[in-house]
Amino acid sequence: MTVPLDSAAQLSQLLTSGEATAVEVAQEALRRIEASEPAINAFNHVAGEAVIRQAEELDKRRSAGQPLGRLAGIPVAVKDVLCTTEMPTTCASRMLRDYMSPYDATVIAKLRAADALLIGKTNMDEFAMGASTENSACGPTYNPWDRTRTPGGSSGGAAAAVAACDVPLSLGSDTGGSIRQPAAFCGITGMKPTYGRVSRYGLVAFASSLDQIGPMSWDAADNALLMSVIAGHDPRDSTSLPAAVDDYSLAVAQADVRGMRIGVIRDQLENPGLDDDARQAVQAAIDVFRDAGAELIDVRFQYSRYWVPTYYIIAPCEASSNLSRYDGAHYGFRSLGTREVVQKFGPLMAMYCHSRDDGFGPEVKRRIMLGTYALSEGYAAKYYTKALSVRRLIRQDYDDAFAKVDILLGPVTPTPAFRLGEKMDDPLQMYLCDLFTVGANLAGLPALAVPAGKTADALPVGIQLQAAPLHEPALYRAAGAFQQATEHHTRRPPQ
Amino acid sequence: MAFSEQEIRQLARLARLELTAEEVRMVGPQLERILEFVQQLAELNTDQVEPMTTALDIQNCWAADQVADGLQRSAALANAPQADGEHFLVPPVLPGGNG
Amino acid sequence: MTATRDDHGRFPFETIIGLEVHVQLKTVSKLFCRCSTKFGAAPNTQICPVCLGLPGALPVINQQAIELSIRAGLALNCRIPEFTKWDRKQYFYPDLPKGYQISQYDLPICAEGYLDLPETDTGEAAKRIGLFRAHLEEDAGKSMHDETGGLTQSRIDLNRCGTPLLEIVTKPDLRSAEEARRFLLELKLLLTHLEISDCEMQEGSLRVDANVNLHISAGNQKVVTPIVEIKNMNSFRAVERAIGFESLRQYDEWEETGATIQTVSKRTFGWNDVREQTFVQREKEESADYRYFPDPDLIPVALPAERVDAIRAALGELPSQTRTRFETQYQLKPYDADVIVNQGPTLVRYFEAVAKVAGDAKRTSAWIQQDVMRTLKEQQCELNDFPIAAPTLGQLLRKVTEGSLDNARARDVFQYLLRHGGTLDEATKALGIEAVDQSELDLLCDRLLAENAKVIDDVRGGKQQALGALIGQAKRINPNVNPGQLRQRLLEKINAV
Ligand SMILES: [Zn+2]
C-alpha cells in the first residue's frame, strides 16, 4: 500500500515530508471505501467530493507554510451517533433517516479544528443499542476478518472501517462496551475514556450517565493521538470534567510498566462463560506484563455478577427518557396512524404512537418498554433505585481494587466475534456480550481494549485494561509496553 | 412476573408506541425474561446504600446569564415533518386533550 | 354542637384553598440555554438546539436563575437546603419537545417557608400563609389551535420553551377567595420589589392554579368535598372570582350528588372569564405517571451556607419590614404605611426622600396619597416620569408646615410644577408668591379692622366665624397672605383693643 491507511502516524509523516498530499490520501481512502463497502457495509454515509475539496485546501495551506492541526490530512470516520453539519446524522434509525443536524458535536468541531478529513458516518446498532450492528436500519456491518460474523456493536461500523483499512482512525461511543467489544472483535485498539473526559455535546444520547465517546485505531499510539484531540472540558456539557488533559502520546511512548501494579480480575477469568481463547489471551498478557517488569496481583470483585443486571435497568431507564423526544412532532419520522387509532385516541396520540412504532426498530422499542416499566409508578423503587444502589456497590469494588493496584487486566468479551444472526432472537444472550465491559461504564472509569491474540479460526481476541478515573495515561503506558512486546496489533485481515 | 396483553398495551401507550398484535405477543415474554434476570439484584440488601445517579463527583456547573445566538428559524424548521414557515405543525391539539 | 342551615338554606362551610404560583424569573436568557427570554418575539425566533430538544443537545444551568430563586426563597422565609438537584418530569405534548420537563422533584431549591399577610383597612387580621416549597423548572412552548377551523393543524411556537419558572406551592392555609387575592398581591409586591419577577399575568410571567375544596358542617357531620384544581385564570380578579364561584359550585354539587373526597378523585377545571364559570377541563382517565428521575445531563447544585448568607445580606429591606419601620420611624398609621409600601419600591424611595426634606412624614404621606398618586393615576404615568423631583416637593411641604404657605397656595404651586417642572423658587416667582412680612401684615390688619368695625363687635360677641369675611377681603388685596397668620394677627389686635 503506497498510502498507509492503517496508520495515522505514518500518514502524518508522509504528509509532513511531502511524500504524499492530503488529496492523494483522501482519494485513496475514498477508493478504498468504495472497494470494501459492498462486502463490509461499514458506512451509512461517505462524504465524497467535500473531502477532496477540504484536502485541496489543506495542501494549499501546507505549501504556504501555514500551521496545520494535529490531524491534518488524516481520514477519520465517525459513528453515525455524532451530530454533524453537512452530513446526515441518522443513528442508523428510520426515525432519523433524513435528519440533518444544524450544529456540530463538540468532538466534530475539535476534529475540524485539528484539520482531520471527515470521511463519513459509520454504521451502528440503532441508537447505539446492541452488540452486533445488526439492529441497524442500514443493514448489518460485516466483520472484515470473517464476513459471516459480526464486527460487534454498537460501534461496529467504526471498528470495521479501521479493520478494513478504510481509515486509520474512527470515533465510536461506548455505553456498556460499544467501543471495546467491537474493537476486540475486529482486532483493533479502542478506548472508553473516563466519564466526563470527552464532551457529550452532540452525541445523540442513549444512556446519559454512561455514554462516552472514544477513539478507535490499530495501535495505542494512534489511539492516544486522537484521544488528545477530543479530550477536554466543554462548557456546553455540564457533566464534562474541568481537569487538565494529560499527554497521552507521551504515555504510549514511555511504554513502561516497571513497578506498575496490575490487578488480574480473577473472577472474570474463572467465569464459566469465558471462551478458552479469550482466557488464554489474558494468560499470555499476564506473562508479557510480568516480563516487562510489572507486578501482577490477583483481584476479586464482590459484585461483578450484578454488573449486567444493574446495567440493563439503568441504561433502558435513561434511554426511555432520552428517546421521548423522537415523537414525530418537531423533527424526524412522522406517521399519522390508521383511521382506527385516530378515532380511538385522537389525531395527536395516533401520530405519537405510530411515528414511534414505525420509526424505531425492535430492540429500541424493547428497551423503551423496559425502561418505561422500570421507572413507572410502583416499580421505580424496586428496579431503578435498587439498581442505582447496586451501582454504588460496584463502584466501591473498583475503589477497593484501585487502592491496591494501578490498573486492572481482564478479558473484553466472553467470546470472539459470533456469527451474524446468532443472537438476534435472544435479547438476553446479546446482553451477556457486555459481561466484562459494563462495569467501567457504571463506575465511570477509563477502559481500553487491546488486540491480544487470535483463535484457531483466526478471529481476533482482545484484553481489557481498566484504571481509576482520569488515569488514561496509565492505560496508554501499559498498552504501549504491551504493543512493544507483541505483534497482535500489526495483524491485518486477509484482503 | 407475567404480563397480560392488556398490560403490555397499557405500557406501550405510556411509552407512546402503537405495537402491532404480533409485537404485543412477542415483547411480553421477552420483558418477563429480562425482568426475571435483573431481579437478581433483590438478593442484595442495599438499605444502607445511597443510590448513585452519576459517576461524577463534581458539583455546580453553570453559565452566566447572557444571551447568545440560537438557530435561524429556517434552520430550526428545516427538519420539521410539517411547518408553515413560522411554526411547527402537528395534528390538532384538542382543547382539554392531554396528547 | 349541631350546625344548622343559614338563610340561603346552606350548612356552614369553610373554603380550603392552596395555590400553585408559577413566576417567571427575570433573567435575560433561558434556564438551560442562552436564548433570549424577551416577551413578544416572532414565533420560533428565540430557539436553539437545547430548547428545541434536538438530538445531542445538553442543558447548562443559568446561574442567575439560581441566584433569583434563592433570593425569592429567603424573602419567603424558606429554608435553602445545601444541596438541590434536577429531575425529569416525563409526558408527551407538542409544546414540550424533549418529551420531558426539567424540574425539581424531591430536593427543591427552596424548602418550607411562609408569607405573612398584613392586616387590611377593612379589618382583616394579619395572617401567616405556609409554603410547602418553591422549585425551579423550565417553561413549555405554546400550542395554538384554531377551533373554528375544525380539525386543522395546531401551530407550535417554542420561544417560551425553557424560560425559567419558580413554582411556589402554598399549604392549604387560605380560607377565602379574598384571602387568595391578598396573598397574590403580597407575593407580587415582594417579588417585584426584589426584582425577581415582573409578575405580569397578562404576559404570562405569573400564573396561578388553585386547589379548592370545602369543609362542610352538616348537622353533626363534617363533610370534605373533592379537590378541584382550577386553571386558566388570567388576572387576580379572575382568581378571586373563580374561587368564589367554585366554592358555591362545590357546595351545590355536594347537595345534589353527595360527592365527597372519598368518592371522587381530584379533577381539573378551567375558568371561563366571560361566563364567570368554572368548567370541567379534563377528567383524568389515566392517572398521569410522570416517571420522575434525576436528570443525568445535569449535576447537583451545592449551595454552601456562606453563599446563601451573602445573598441574604444583599436582600435589603422587605416590604413587610418597610411597613413596620414606617409605623415606628414616621408614626404613620398602618393603613397609610400599607398604601405607600404596596405601591412598590420606587414610591417608597420617593416618599422617604420627600419626608426627609419636608420634615413632616404625615403631611408627606397625605400629599403622596392624595396628590401624587392621584396625578399618576389620572395621567397614567410612572413615578420615574413624574415631573416634580422629591426634594422640590419636600421644600414645598416644608413651607406649608412652617406656615409660610397655605395648602391652597401650595396646591397652586404643585399644579404649576406639574405643568412646567423646574425648581420651587421658579414656581413661586412665576406665581408671584412672596413672603408677606410682619409690618405688611400689620398694615393690612389695621386697614381691615378700620373698614369693618362690625366684625370687631361680632368677634367680641363670640362670633369668630365673622373673621372669614376679612380673610376673603385680605386675599383679594394680597394673594400671598397666609390665612392662618392673618387670622392669628387679627384676633390679637381685636383682643388688644
Ligand atoms: Zn435555546
Side-chain angles (χ1 to χ4, degrees), chain A residues 65-76:
Chain A
Q66 289 172 9
L68 298 175
R70 272 185 285 184
L71 295 176
I74 311 292
V76 181

Side-chain angles (χ1 to χ4, degrees), chain A residues 73-372:
Chain A
I74 311 292
V76 181
V78 300
K79 188 176 178 178
D80 206 5
V81 73
L82 296 169
C83 289
T84 48
T85 56
E86 295 162 32
M87 289 189 276
T89 301
T90 73
C91 294
S93 178
R94 187 180 184 195
M95 185 58 89
L96 291 178
R97 190 173 48 193
D98 307 313
Y99 182 71
M100 289 293 292
S101 173
Y103 74 99
D104 274 330
T106 295
V107 290
I108 298 297
K110 284 176 179 251
L111 288 182
R112 292 193 202 275
D115 293 320
L117 300 175
L118 286 180
I119 211 95
K121 308 289 290 278
T122 58
N123 200 9
M124 56 188 277
D125 286 297
E126 183 179 7
F127 284 102
M129 297 178 192
S132 66
T133 315
E134 290 167 287
N135 301 321
S136 167
C138 310
T141 297
Y142 302 88
N143 191 320
W145 295 86
D146 178 346
R147 285 164 201 169
T148 66
R149 291 176 190 269
T150 166
S154 64
S155 310
V162 171
C165 299
D166 292 341
V167 288
L169 300 173
S170 65
L171 284 182
S173 71
D174 189 317
T175 307
S178 283
I179 288 174
R180 292 159 287 158
Q181 183 251 23
F185 281 11
C186 290
I188 65 169
T189 301
M191 169 68 104
K192 195 292 277 186
T194 304
Y195 184 75
R197 179 69 298 183
V198 177
S199 168
R200 294 186 297 113
Y201 192 79
L203 164 66
V204 179
F206 161 16
S208 312
S209 81
L210 306 166
D211 296 342
Q212 268 292 288
I213 300 165
M216 305 175 87
S217 61
W218 281 107
D219 63 23
D222 275 6
N223 203 279
L225 172 68
L226 183 51
M227 181 66 188
S228 53
V229 169
I230 61 169
H233 180 249
D234 180 7
R236 287 178 187 273
D237 176 1
S238 305
T239 63
S240 162
L241 290 167
V245 176
D246 292 300
D247 190 336
Y248 305 122
S249 297
L250 177 70
V252 173
Q254 283 169 338
D256 185 4
V257 292
R258 279 174 300 172
M260 189 183 269
R261 297 166 304 166
I262 300 180
V264 179
I265 309 174
R266 244 338 122 180
D267 41 294
Q268 290 186 347
L269 285 182
E270 289 163 9
N271 192 304
L274 182 64
D275 200 88
D276 276 343
D277 294 313
R279 185 178 294 113
Q280 273 158 29
V282 178
Q283 297 288 5
I286 291 172
D287 294 337
V288 170
F289 283 121
R290 189 180 291 120
D291 291 347
E295 181 190 351
L296 283 115
I297 300 166
D298 279 354
V299 167
R300 277 180 194 282
F301 277 1
Q302 216 181 327
Y303 299 105
S304 51
R305 57 181 296 233
Y306 300 105
W307 285 8
V308 177
T310 302
Y311 175 84
Y312 276 96
I313 296 172
I314 295 174
C317 282
E318 292 187 16
S320 72
S321 172
N322 283 331
L323 271 63
S324 295
R325 67 189 63 198
Y326 309 105
D327 60 7
H330 310 98
Y331 49 82
F333 178 81
R334 176 185 287 187
S335 162
L336 292 175
T338 61
R339 178 166 306 183
E340 188 199 337
V341 178
V342 171
Q343 261 163 11
K344 196 164 169 201
F345 297 106
L348 184 65
M349 183 69 142
M351 179 203 72
Y352 280 154
C353 294
H354 275 280
S355 298
R356 288 166 63 77
D357 193 56
D358 300 346
F360 290 137
E363 180 60 27
V364 172
K365 283 189 270 192
R366 199 149 43 227
R367 296 201 195 186
I368 289 175
M369 292 282 283
L370 186 58
T372 304

Side-chain angles (χ1 to χ4, degrees), chain B residues 68-71, chain C residues 30-36 46-53 158-159 161-162:
Chain B
D69 280 347
L71 291 171
Chain C
K30 293 184 181 179
L31 185 52
F32 295 112
C33 64
R34 306 290 75 84
C35 290
S36 170
Q46 291 175 175
I47 52 176
C48 74
V50 179
C51 54
L52 192 46
L158 296 176
N159 279 350
C161 198

Side-chain angles (χ1 to χ4, degrees), chain C residues 259-302:
Chain C
T260 68
I261 196 162
Q262 286 85 16
T263 58
V264 178
S265 55
K266 183 173 163 177
R267 289 163 296 175
T268 303
F269 278 40
W271 169 248
N272 186 320
D273 216 25
V274 181
R275 290 186 171 175
E276 300 200 1
Q277 282 178 354
T278 56
F279 61 93
V280 182
Q281 199 174 46
R282 154 167 41 130
E283 298 274 8
K284 291 195 175 158
E285 346 83 69
E286 47 161 350
S287 68
D289 186 346
Y290 292 125
R291 288 160 288 138
Y292 279 101
F293 81 108
D295 192 329
D297 287 333
L298 290 160
I299 54 176
V301 179

Side-chain angles (χ1 to χ4, degrees), chain B residues 20-92:
Chain B
T20 62
E22 176 65 13
E23 284 176 317
V24 171
R25 267 197 303 281
M26 291 266 293
V27 82
Q30 287 173 338
L31 290 188
E32 286 162 22
R33 248 193 103 204
I34 298 166
L35 287 169
E36 193 185 329
F37 171 70
V38 300
Q39 248 321 84
Q40 289 177 69
L41 300 190
E43 300 162 14
L44 293 170
N45 184 337
T46 52
D47 293 350
Q48 303 303 315
V49 186
E50 196 201 332
M52 173 176 162
T53 52
T54 167
L56 296 167
D57 48 8
I58 52 169
Q59 284 173 331
N60 297 355
C61 167
W62 40 47
D65 182 27
Q66 279 162 357
V67 174
D69 280 347
L71 291 171
Q72 292 292 316
R73 179 160 65 193
S74 55
L77 296 178
N79 281 300
Q82 219 185 336
D84 66 2
E86 292 187 336
H87 302 88
F88 298 91
L89 295 181
V90 297

